[in-house]
Amino acid sequence: MNLTLNNVERGRLGTSLAPEVNAPPVIWETSREQVDYSFALERMENLASGICNGEEPERVWLLEHSPLYTAGTSAKGSDLLEANKFPVFKAGRGGEYTYHGPGQRVCYCMLNLNKRERDVRAYVSALETWVINTLAQFNVKGQRREDRVGVWVQRPDKKPLSNGDTREDKIAAIGVRVRRWVTFHGISINLEPDLEHYSGIIPCGISEHGVTSLVDLGLPVTMENLDVALKQEFENLFGPVEIVS
């Protein structure tokens, strides 16, 4: 995604990625148990291939992982501070290092941009909008930053940066991969992960800002609350879903 676009331009890109008229609903699947990361990668690959070939419907897969670090295609070895803290996986998505673990809602999105809009920038912007609108349901103001992917919240309660700027914390990460205009990977939102687990990496290569979660911000949100909001806001941007167990 071209981060030289300003926040207004990025916001306009992501106002809607509605499907074709009369398109079938997106399958909305939630895994109740923690999912092995290697299995998740393989399943995403298979589902994306099936969507490319017209054999599978579009799908959003909500889940949690056990504690682990993933390295995107731009990850720098120097940003892995504790290589033995948790398992480390090469994810194949865009971006740098991030953490996944319990208390974090991961949403893997396998959507067919051939039937929506062949514009990766618009897709990433729509994911940002999805997160921002979801957080707004809990009175959290998530924000874009022109030089960073993801969603951020200002923390005036914390000590300012050395240049006097307000400190900011990342509350949601975005990392995508697109093959033949079918997407996989997606977003992760921090509900109540152990934030100390981020200490083994420099998240997304950014050391001057931190990470936060809804519970860290003082909001007693449950995963069920978050999932309801995610579904509502997804449908506003991407069209109707069909829930499967």
Side-chain angles (χ1 to χ4, degrees):
M1 182 175 178
N2 180 3
L3 294 178
T4 61
L5 292 174
N6 64 41
N7 290 335
V8 173
E9 291 170 328
R10 280 166 65 185
R12 287 173 181 161
L13 276 177
T15 54
S16 176
L17 234 69
E20 295 177 332
V21 176
N22 298 323
V26 176
I27 299 299
W28 187 269
E29 176 185 354
T30 304
S31 291
R32 303 300 176 187
E33 304 294 331
Q34 292 177 15
V35 176
D36 176 78
Y37 192 74
S38 296
F39 170 78
L41 287 179
E42 181 179 4
R43 185 167 188 240
M44 277 193 289
E45 291 271 1
N46 292 337
L47 287 169
S49 295
I51 293 168
C52 285
N53 297 330
E55 299 166 352
E56 289 281 351
E58 295 180 301
R59 183 178 301 259
V60 174
W61 183 18
L62 278 63
L63 52 86
E64 294 175 85
H65 291 300
S66 58
L68 57 93
Y69 297 132
T70 68
T73 54
S74 301
K76 304 178 184 68
S78 58
D79 289 343
L80 180 60
L81 305 179
E82 298 181 51
N84 297 319
K85 190 177 182 72
F86 297 120
V88 181
F89 295 86
K90 290 185 178 180
R93 55 161 173 77
E96 302 184 42
Y97 279 103
T98 195
Y99 165 78
H100 292 313
Q104 181 189 74
R105 175 52 86 212
V106 175
C107 305
Y108 290 137
C109 302
M110 288 140 282
L111 302 179
N112 191 349
L113 300 187
N114 290 294
K115 299 183 177 181
R116 294 174 179 272
E117 183 175 359
R118 285 188 173 191
D119 188 330
V120 176
R121 295 186 309 169
Y123 174 63
V124 174
S125 183
L127 293 180
E128 290 175 333
T129 299
W130 180 25
V131 174
I132 289 168
N133 292 350
T134 297
L135 293 174
Q137 291 206 23
F138 306 104
N139 297 314
V140 173
K141 186 177 181 180
Q143 297 179 311
R144 294 176 170 88
R145 288 294 174 260
E146 293 179 14
D147 57 342
R148 311 174 223 146
V149 176
V151 177
W152 301 79
V153 294
Q154 292 190 320
R155 299 303 302 269
D157 54 313
K158 291 188 172 183
K159 182 180 178 181
L161 297 175
S162 58
N163 63 3
D165 287 350
T166 300
R167 192 171 295 276
E168 298 177 343
D169 285 345
K170 192 171 192 175
I171 194 167
I174 296 173
V176 305
R177 187 172 181 181
V178 180
R179 181 185 297 148
R180 292 167 57 192
W181 294 107
V182 172
T183 71
F184 46 120
H185 296 279
I187 69 171
S188 59
I189 300 180
N190 288 343
L191 175 69
E192 192 181 9
D194 186 336
L195 297 179
E196 191 278 329
H197 288 177
Y198 282 90
S199 65
I201 57 172
I202 298 178
C204 301
I206 299 169
S207 58
E208 63 268 31
H209 296 292
V211 290
T212 190
S213 68
L214 287 166
V215 171
D216 182 53
L217 294 173
L219 299 167
V221 179
T222 67
M223 194 67 79
E224 290 75 18
N225 296 149
L226 180 57
D227 288 350
V228 168
L230 281 165
K231 176 180 172 293
Q232 290 174 348
E233 299 302 338
F234 180 90
E235 290 188 307
N236 289 339
L237 287 166
F238 296 97
V241 305
E242 177 184 342
I243 298 173
V244 298
S245 57

